[in-house]
Every structure is written in structure tokens, then in C-alpha cells.
Amino acid sequence: MQALWRRDVKRRLVAGGLDIAAALARAGMMPKARGRGAIFTLHHVRPKRTRPLQPSAHLEVTPDFLSDAIERLSAEGYEFIPLAEIPARLAKPARQPFAAFTLDDGYRNNAEYALPVFARHGVPFTVFVTRGFAERTHSLWWETLAELLGREREINFDFGDGAKIMDLTSEALKFDAFDRFSSYVGEIDETTAVSRIDALARRHGIDALNITAELTMDRRELQSLAAHPLASLGAHTLTHRAVARLSAEDAREEMRQSADYVETLTGERPKAIAYPYGTRQAVSGRDWTIAHDLGFSVAVTTQPGTLCEKSASRLTGLPRISLNGYYQQPRYVSALASGIPFTLGA
């Protein structure tokens, strides 16, 4: 019952910290924290909407906010570069700070809403493609759960200690349930967990793969997007599993075959890969080495931070800054790009 309260308190604390960082940056404090530049992470880019349950609202920003973010960074002197150019940029003496934009999972709204914004500002970007989503063989379990938990008042599920009925009669209870399922996906074999979530959804009349088809681009759409001069496609594995939890052989195949698939779409081997989830629990130093051995020149996590000269020695484990749906204010973009929140939080 505490999920909503905890989330609200956390968001207020984060917003307060960003306001302090923005003030410090305006005052010229801690200039070294900015480093050489930053890679920004996006997922959904679409107009604001309402749903019965939005547990992943942090992964959604509006096209207007994306435009505001680009304008703020431009006003602060950032140069917008393709992700693949970062190794060369880090190898040269510092000029102006740079920014690269990335979008994970291949959502259709990336082409419908994000592309026009990037095109209007002349900003290059990379979309990371999961083959299982594009071919409709794998579900987006977090989207499936949002649909399921949002519509039901109770569900029956076995997390491993016997089937139990989960009360979903309030928003707080729905968020608690979502958090429990999220933990479940990280506790057991991910393929098994997602399969059981999909089966639960089917019992309630929801086809998880239909959700995948509704939300993500297929092969033809990805090829059309890749034809735009500002767009690049990167690898995002086959099945969107946390590679750190796989054997080294399986992690390698997830990455290699993902690159193979992107190459069939574009005719070019992708230079970049994004690790699914990208947290410290989801990707390890072993996986950085695998990505390097497979020939990726850039690989990105979701661990927050800016880039500096030292980043050149860990190009397959680079940090990114998330443009978070809860903090859609230009001053927060300035605060994040300053690097101060990550320095203070280190």
C-alpha cells in the first residue's frame, strides 16, 4: 500500500535535487562535472495521455518537451552528434560540449513523434532495435502488466510459494502489484517469468504480442526510419533479457544475432548496442568485453553520468542520462547535463 507514497516522496526529493543542481550550474559551480558531453536516453515520445495505470510514466516524454530539451542544450552551446562519433570525439582535444540522443526498444512513436522533432532541429539520433519486438515473437512485459493491472480488480498468480489472489481495487495496490512482478522478473529465469506473465494476461483476455505489435515498429517501418539521414539503428539484443544474468555464450549470441538482424535491415553492421535495462544488475564488465570483442565501437548502459576523457577507456560501458517523464522542465535538462547530480550522488 506504500508504493504511491514512496514514489511521490522520491519524485519530490529528486526534483528538489535537480533544482539545486540547476542553481549551482547557473552560478558556474562544479564546471568539471559537465565533462565532455552526454548521451541522452528516451523511450516513448508521444503526446501526454491518461491510462488506468501508468507505472512506466517515467519512460514517456512529450514531443514538446523533447523540442524544449534540444533548444535548451543548443542555447548552452552543445553540438549534436551521432552516437557513433563519440569515440572519435573523445580522442580529440575538447571543443564545445556534445550531446547524442538515443531511443530504446523501437517504439512506433519514435518515428511518428520524435523524428519530426529531431528533423526540425537537425539533430541525429539512434534507435535501438530488439529483434523479438520487431518480429512480434517477444512481449514487452512491463506494457503487458500495465494493461492487465490497470483493467482488473484482482488476479490470481503463483510467485513460487503457491497461488494467491492479489487485490487490485486501488491505484496503490496496482502499483504494489507491478513492483512485485518487476521483482519477480529479476528473481527467476527471465524467459520463464515473462512467459508466465503472458499466460496470465491471456487468461484475462489480453494478447501480449498484440501489444508488442501495437507499440513497436516492424521490419518495414524500421527500414523506412533508417533511410532518414538523421536516423541510425543500433542493436538491443534478440529478446531484451538482462545480459548479466545470462551465460557468457548466451549473452554473446543475444548481442551478435541482434547486430546480424540490424545489418539485414540497413545493409550495414551497427556500431552501437544498448544493453537491455542497462543497470548495474543487468549488465556487467564481462558484457562490456563481449560487446568490444563483437566489434561494437560504442555500447551504452542506463547508469547515469556524463562523459569525460576517461570514458574513452570504457566505450562499451558508457553512461546515459534519462530524460524522465516526471521531470519535463528545461531547467532539469540543464541540471542533468551539468553532471552535478551525479557528482553529488557519487
Side-chain angles (χ1 to χ4, degrees):
M1 291 291 291
Q2 302 299 315
L4 287 178
W5 179 84
R6 289 195 306 269
R7 289 171 189 248
D8 183 62
V9 169
K10 181 179 179 180
R11 288 199 294 269
R12 291 175 183 273
L13 289 172
V14 170
L18 290 175
D19 281 326
I20 292 171
L24 291 173
R26 285 195 303 271
M29 305 293 288
M30 304 175 66
K32 292 184 179 180
R34 185 179 302 276
R36 296 287 302 277
I39 306 169
F40 291 94
T41 312
L42 298 156
H43 289 80
H44 289 289
V45 179
R46 58 190 176 190
K48 191 172 183 179
R49 61 179 191 155
T50 57
R51 297 175 65 184
L53 185 68
Q54 299 187 83
S56 300
H58 61 292
L59 300 180
E60 302 190 20
V61 302
T62 67
D64 287 343
F65 173 66
L66 175 57
S67 183
D68 289 343
I70 292 170
E71 290 176 358
R72 175 59 66 98
L73 292 168
S74 179
E76 294 181 353
Y78 280 79
E79 180 184 2
F80 301 105
I81 67 172
L83 182 67
E85 286 188 13
I86 283 180
R89 184 59 62 91
L90 290 174
K92 297 178 181 178
R95 297 187 298 180
Q96 65 189 110
F98 59 80
F101 279 90
T102 63
L103 304 98
D104 289 6
D105 302 335
Y107 291 109
R108 184 170 289 115
N109 54 57
N110 294 174
E112 184 177 1
Y113 293 108
L115 173 58
V117 175
F118 289 127
R120 185 165 70 249
H121 293 284
V123 173
F125 62 97
T126 298
V127 172
F128 290 110
V129 177
T130 299
R131 179 177 178 176
F133 298 161
E135 295 193 338
R136 285 54 173 125
T137 58
H138 289 77
S139 63
L140 300 93
W141 60 264
W142 54 96
E143 300 284 357
T144 303
L145 284 171
E147 180 69 20
L148 172 64
L149 301 177
R151 69 158 65 171
E152 298 297 332
R153 293 180 61 80
E154 70 174 31
I155 56 173
N156 191 320
F157 191 77
D158 184 355
F159 287 102
D161 54 355
K164 295 180 181 177
I165 294 176
M166 303 183 74
D167 183 359
L168 303 175
T169 54
S170 71
E171 186 179 24
L173 289 168
K174 291 176 187 290
F175 272 102
D176 284 340
F178 184 87
D179 288 346
R180 178 65 187 93
F181 276 107
S182 296
S183 298
Y184 177 68
V185 171
E187 290 167 357
I188 70 167
D189 173 72
E190 190 169 340
T191 299
T192 300
V194 174
S195 176
R196 290 175 180 170
I197 291 170
D198 289 350
L200 173 65
R202 281 195 299 273
R203 292 196 294 272
H204 289 267
I206 297 171
D207 187 328
L209 293 183
N210 280 347
I211 295 175
T212 300
E214 290 171 3
L215 293 177
T216 62
M217 289 179 277
D218 62 18
R219 181 186 186 93
R220 178 188 58 79
E221 291 170 300
L222 289 166
Q223 288 176 319
S224 177
L225 176 66
H228 194 283
L230 291 171
S232 300
L233 299 185
H236 201 35
T237 73
L238 295 177
T239 63
H240 203 279
R241 289 182 291 173
V243 290
R245 300 182 63 216
L246 304 177
S247 69
E249 180 181 356
D250 286 347
R252 178 178 295 272
E253 285 304 292
E254 282 275 335
M255 295 187 217
R256 184 186 67 79
Q257 292 189 44
S258 180
D260 290 346
Y261 181 67
V262 173
E263 187 173 10
T264 69
L265 297 177
T266 66
E268 296 182 4
R269 196 78 175 168
K271 297 180 176 65
I273 185 169
Y275 305 109
Y277 309 113
T279 63
R280 294 186 185 279
Q281 295 74 35
V283 57
S284 67
R286 178 206 70 178
D287 306 309
W288 298 10
T289 300
I290 292 172
H292 177 270
D293 292 346
L294 288 171
F296 290 106
S297 59
V298 174
V300 293
T301 70
T302 59
Q303 297 159 37
T306 55
L307 305 182
C308 62
E309 279 73 13
K310 291 181 180 179
S311 302
S313 65
R314 50 176 185 272
L315 291 171
T316 52
L318 293 178
R320 288 189 288 175
I321 297 173
S322 175
L323 292 183
N324 190 305
Y326 290 127
Y327 311 106
Q328 297 189 60
Q329 298 292 334
R331 69 181 185 276
Y332 294 150
V333 178
S334 296
L336 292 166
S338 76
I340 292 173
F342 319 121
T343 301
L344 294 176

